[in-house]
Amino acid sequence: MNKIIEVQQLVKKYDNFTAVNAISFHVNEGEIFGLLGPNGAGKTTTLEIIETLRSKTSGSVQVCGFDLDKDPIKIKEVIGVQLQAAGYYPNLNLTQLIELFAGLYNKQIDALELLNKVQLTEKAKAKYKELSGGQKQRFSIATTLINNPKVIFLDEPTTGLDPQARRNLWDLILSLRSTGTTIVLTTHYMDEAEVLCDRVAIVDAGVISKIDTPSNLIDQLLATGFEKPLPVKQASLEDVFINLTGKALREE
Ligand code: ADP
């Protein structure tokens, strides 16, 4: 398998505090790779270093064969990064925002086609501030796709969304993988990681304790003799909620 990202012995210090402590991992081309860890584990710092947005203290990073120290501009050209909400001009509509970003990348782009990919065609003339939480997330994923990137980075893409919008975003992320885009994401939701990620790294206090597929990690835990009380019921409250309210999005 082709390694599209390689991180070796990456260290990030903020003054005397070591936020990322010599971590190494790789991401295979075409996979969804998850960085999982509690708040403060160093996930965002790691992502932003790979995205060329933050400096590292030491270690090496390669993306699509480009070295972060030598070719950061080449890396920028092949990746897509979600902007924070503050990055969107409040008085432009979605079509105008996409055209603006496309201009920054010096690309011609069919804004409606891109909005269609993330099911926002009907909101083409709406302003960012008029969107629901799920729509905002879908729009920010659309903006990562403008330069036709090989890898996109999603930092907690479903935090704060209702169950319908979360599942809808999972479908979007899986559909992007099926078209060949490699995806690196962070999440606090283990059910999300289990559904989406081909492999995950468990990060805590700046150190990776395990990297494997979700299924292998679960099997390894079971092999230690771990036992969970069997569920008394074969459905959860979330199943009840989805069953009663349906899977359709409610925000439109
Ligand atoms: P995560 O994304 O896993 O929640 P972060 O990468 O945001 O973790 O932060 C890792 C640690 O580094 C935290 O303890 C955080 O407080 C600290 N940190 C992050 N950014 C800075 C900064 N600019 N200056 C000092 N400390 C920082």
Side-chain angles (χ1 to χ4, degrees), residues 69-134:
D69 294 326
K70 295 185 199 129
D71 281 322
I73 293 170
K74 293 265 192 239
I75 293 182
K76 279 195 213 310
E77 285 170 6
V78 294
I79 66 171
V81 175
Q82 262 182 310
L83 277 186
Q84 302 301 315
Y88 302 114
Y89 288 94
N91 289 317
L92 296 183
N93 68 38
L94 301 191
T95 308
Q96 292 165 326
L97 281 170
I98 286 179
E99 283 166 357
L100 174 73
F101 288 123
L104 297 177
Y105 282 113
N106 223 352
K107 294 252 172 199
Q108 290 283 342
I109 190 147
D110 183 340
L112 270 185
E113 190 188 321
L114 188 59
L115 289 172
N116 188 36
K117 259 192 201 172
V118 297
Q119 293 175 262
L120 282 176
T121 324
E122 281 154 37
K123 295 285 171 184
K125 296 288 175 228
K127 292 174 181 161
Y128 179 80
K129 63 182 180 192
E130 295 162 357
L131 303 180
S132 70

Side-chain angles (χ1 to χ4, degrees), residues 46-218:
T46 302
L47 281 197
E48 291 194 356
I49 291 170
I50 302 171
E51 293 163 357
T52 79
L53 299 177
R54 235 182 255 217
S55 66
K56 61 184 167 61
T57 304
S58 61
S60 74
V61 175
Q62 250 119 36
V63 181
C64 294
F66 299 118
D67 186 89
L68 177 65
D69 294 326
K70 295 185 199 129
D71 281 322
I73 293 170
K74 293 265 192 239
I75 293 182
K76 279 195 213 310
E77 285 170 6
V78 294
I79 66 171
V81 175
Q82 262 182 310
L83 277 186
Q84 302 301 315
Y88 302 114
Y89 288 94
N91 289 317
L92 296 183
N93 68 38
L94 301 191
T95 308
Q96 292 165 326
L97 281 170
I98 286 179
E99 283 166 357
L100 174 73
F101 288 123
L104 297 177
Y105 282 113
N106 223 352
K107 294 252 172 199
Q108 290 283 342
I109 190 147
D110 183 340
L112 270 185
E113 190 188 321
L114 188 59
L115 289 172
N116 188 36
K117 259 192 201 172
V118 297
Q119 293 175 262
L120 282 176
T121 324
E122 281 154 37
K123 295 285 171 184
K125 296 288 175 228
K127 292 174 181 161
Y128 179 80
K129 63 182 180 192
E130 295 162 357
L131 303 180
S132 70
Q135 290 168 339
K136 282 181 174 152
Q137 285 292 358
R138 295 211 300 279
F139 180 69
S140 75
I141 289 179
T143 64
T144 70
L145 302 174
I146 285 172
N147 62 334
N148 211 7
K150 294 203 178 310
V151 190
I152 61 171
F153 295 88
L154 307 175
D155 201 353
E156 295 184 24
T158 67
T159 296
L161 299 185
D162 70 29
Q164 282 90 358
R166 263 180 96 213
R167 283 159 192 245
N168 177 265
L169 216 74
W170 292 354
D171 289 343
L172 172 61
I173 292 169
L174 290 169
S175 78
L176 293 176
R177 180 185 62 184
S178 71
T179 59
T181 311
T182 305
I183 297 156
V184 181
L185 59 81
T186 69
T187 181
H188 293 295
Y189 303 118
M190 296 306 128
D191 58 338
E192 176 163 305
E194 225 178 310
V195 171
L196 293 182
C197 295
D198 296 297
R199 292 187 311 132
V200 299
I202 312 284
V203 196
D204 196 8
V207 174
I208 292 181
S209 50
K210 285 264 182 191
I211 304 179
D212 214 326
T213 63
S215 173
N216 284 347
L217 290 173
I218 294 166

Side-chain angles (χ1 to χ4, degrees), residues 12-15 17-20 37-47 54 155-156 186 188 203 206:
K12 175 65 180 183
K13 293 189 177 167
Y14 297 109
D15 297 322
F17 175 71
T18 305
V20 176
N39 278 331
K43 306 178 298 292
T44 303
T45 301
T46 302
L47 281 197
R54 235 182 255 217
D155 201 353
E156 295 184 24
T186 69
H188 293 295
V203 196

